[in-house]
Amino acid sequence: MADSSFDIVSKVERQEVDNALNQAGKEISQRYDFKGVGASISWSGDKILMEANSEDRVKAVLDVFQSKLIKRGISLKALDAGEPQLSGKEYKIFATIKEGISQENAKKVAKIIRDEGPKGVKAQVQGDELRVSSKSRDDLQAVIALLKGKEFDFAMQFVNYR
């Protein structure tokens, strides 16, 4: 019988991020505490730009955006937001969406699977994802449960389970 396997990836649905951004923009334009402070959120190339006339307001814009991401099922670990920067009279925050598992993180996950996972489970790095395979599907389920119980500094999804 062939090995069963699944892939560990770190991907974000760009459409969901776009929807969250549009919802945040709508809320910012309608909320009373954002009136007259020049608060806005928009795409700036492949980055997300948040602007307002005070540091507290721009942090509030970020907070609104983060709440919209959570509601749409996107992990905040995928959002890399910078610190507020003064630019002229406005404060700005640039944020990026992180995708893909770095080589170091993939090696850490593979080591955890090797050390703490069931025997006979193999993990190999394939580009920016990790393929986990085993003869037993129960072992794969155990690996998924093990990894869900750990805390990582990147978002993780389990795909292509077969």
Side-chain angles (χ1 to χ4, degrees), residues 38-57:
S40 68
I41 182 169
S42 61
W43 286 105
S44 174
D46 59 348
K47 290 185 174 176
I48 298 163
L49 171 65
M50 293 162 261
E51 297 177 299
N53 65 1
S54 75
E55 189 173 346
D56 292 341
R57 284 284 143 233

Side-chain angles (χ1 to χ4, degrees), residues 123-155:
Q124 66 236 27
V125 179
Q126 296 181 330
D128 61 353
E129 54 187 52
L130 193 69
R131 166 81 38 98
V132 180
S133 57
S134 171
K135 295 232 180 283
S136 164
R137 285 183 166 228
D138 291 342
D139 288 351
L140 292 180
Q141 293 285 345
V143 168
I144 290 174
L146 170 74
L147 294 176
K148 282 185 176 177
K150 298 279 183 200
E151 193 60 41
F152 294 101
D153 58 350
F154 58 95

Side-chain angles (χ1 to χ4, degrees), residues 109-121:
V109 173
K111 183 170 174 19
I112 288 171
I113 293 170
R114 223 179 13 259
D115 295 348
E116 301 177 31
K119 297 280 180 252
V121 176

Side-chain angles (χ1 to χ4, degrees), residues 2-131:
D3 282 5
S4 298
S5 69
F6 68 89
D7 294 334
I8 301 172
V9 298
S10 182
K11 288 194 167 75
V12 175
E13 189 73 39
R14 176 132 173 130
Q15 185 61 49
E16 290 296 323
V17 174
D18 205 35
N19 290 342
L21 188 127
N22 291 335
Q23 286 178 339
K26 191 176 281 185
E27 181 173 325
I28 289 163
S29 70
Q30 293 174 348
R31 264 180 45 182
Y32 178 76
D33 57 334
F34 286 119
K35 292 276 189 255
V37 296
S40 68
I41 182 169
S42 61
W43 286 105
S44 174
D46 59 348
K47 290 185 174 176
I48 298 163
L49 171 65
M50 293 162 261
E51 297 177 299
N53 65 1
S54 75
E55 189 173 346
D56 292 341
R57 284 284 143 233
V58 79
K59 285 181 178 176
V61 170
L62 175 61
D63 193 47
V64 168
F65 182 53
Q66 287 175 334
S67 72
K68 298 302 178 190
L69 286 174
I70 290 169
K71 281 184 181 170
R72 300 203 73 72
I74 297 170
S75 172
L76 291 183
K77 292 176 184 174
L79 180 71
D80 186 19
E83 288 300 309
Q85 300 165 333
L86 184 61
S87 170
K89 292 182 178 179
E90 297 229 312
Y91 281 87
K92 297 181 178 187
I93 294 179
F94 285 99
T96 55
I97 302 296
K98 295 186 288 190
E99 289 194 297
I101 300 174
S102 69
Q103 290 292 330
E104 308 91 65
N105 286 335
K107 286 178 184 171
K108 280 185 208 168
V109 173
K111 183 170 174 19
I112 288 171
I113 293 170
R114 223 179 13 259
D115 295 348
E116 301 177 31
K119 297 280 180 252
V121 176
K122 296 184 288 293
Q124 66 236 27
V125 179
Q126 296 181 330
D128 61 353
E129 54 187 52
L130 193 69
R131 166 81 38 98

